[in-house]
């Protein structure tokens, strides 16, 4: 397994729309394992392949503190949304930035697991929010794009300054 480099906003590659996975082979299984290792090492709860510059429809997540419920979504599609909720979101691609985003309260998602088996999951709460957040990445969208232009520009400026300082 290997730690992968997480792209940082406003990197243009984060706006790439991911392509469907055509075959779940050893390469995809290695990608999944590396994404989990990267997500856990970064103290995240979700990671989309887009964030590690692999533009295929793969998402991993685990909302537990003890890493006991790893979930894999390959070629995920939200088939139903219901209700509305707000949540303060953060993102491994937008480190140190948190803001309130409005999303559906409940979702139904269809996907394949790492063995190529199709499943349907009905989710609410944090799991529903995380699914929507990560699937946005697969569509080339970052959570800060739900915010006002003023907030987006402030975040870009802050992250660019931080990147220069880190060099």
């Amino acid at each position: 397994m290997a730690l992968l480099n997480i792209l940082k906003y406003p990197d243009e590659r984060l706006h790439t729309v991911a392509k469907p996975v055509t075959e779940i082979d050893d390469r995809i299984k290695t990608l999944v394992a590396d994404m989990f290792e990267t997500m856990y090492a970064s103290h995240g709860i979700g990671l989309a392949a887009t964030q590690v510059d692999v533009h295929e429809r793969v998402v991993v997540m685990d909302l537990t503190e003890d890493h006991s419920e790893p979930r894999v979504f390959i070629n995920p599609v939200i088939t139903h949304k219901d209700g509305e909720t707000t949540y303060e979101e953060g993102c491994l691609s937008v480190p140190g930035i948190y803001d309130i985003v409005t999303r559906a309260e409940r979702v139904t998602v269809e996907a394949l697991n790492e063995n190529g088996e199709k499943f349907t999951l009905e989710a609410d709460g944090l799991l529903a929010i995380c699914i929507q957040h990560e699937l946005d990445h697969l569509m080339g969208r970052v959570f800060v794009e739900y915010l006002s232009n003023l907030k987006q520009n402030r975040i870009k400026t802050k992250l660019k300054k931080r990147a220069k300082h880190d060099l």
Side-chain angles (χ1 to χ4, degrees), residues 25-153:
D25 53 13
D26 288 343
R27 181 184 65 82
I28 293 296
K29 290 180 181 185
T30 299
L31 172 64
V32 166
D34 291 348
M35 286 174 63
F36 271 119
E37 183 176 359
T38 302
M39 180 186 75
Y40 290 142
S42 302
H43 307 289
I45 60 171
L47 187 66
T50 300
Q51 292 176 269
V52 294
D53 204 21
V54 176
H55 303 287
E56 295 181 81
R57 295 186 61 79
V58 178
V59 167
V60 299
M61 69 181 66
D62 188 341
L63 278 53
T64 64
E65 289 190 25
D66 64 355
H67 306 164
S68 61
E69 292 182 27
R71 298 176 187 265
V72 177
F73 300 82
I74 298 173
N75 296 336
V77 176
I78 293 175
T79 58
H80 182 75
K81 292 182 179 185
D82 186 42
E84 188 175 281
T85 189
T86 57
Y87 194 83
E88 184 177 57
E89 294 187 24
C91 181
L92 295 175
S93 290
V94 193
I97 304 295
Y98 301 88
D99 214 315
I100 301 294
V101 176
T102 301
R103 296 198 183 267
E105 188 174 14
R106 291 171 296 283
V107 298
T108 302
V109 63
E110 291 181 357
L112 302 174
N113 66 18
E114 65 274 19
N115 298 316
E117 300 160 337
K118 186 176 182 176
F119 68 94
T120 301
L121 175 69
E122 293 182 13
D124 61 9
L126 181 58
L127 181 57
I129 290 163
C130 191
I131 288 168
Q132 292 170 84
H133 177 109
E134 299 307 331
L135 270 60
D136 272 356
H137 279 300
L138 299 181
M139 298 307 297
R141 188 163 192 189
V142 181
F143 90 95
V144 296
E145 292 163 10
Y146 286 95
L147 308 177
S148 70
N149 285 334
L150 178 64
K151 282 187 176 183
Q152 288 181 50
N153 288 332

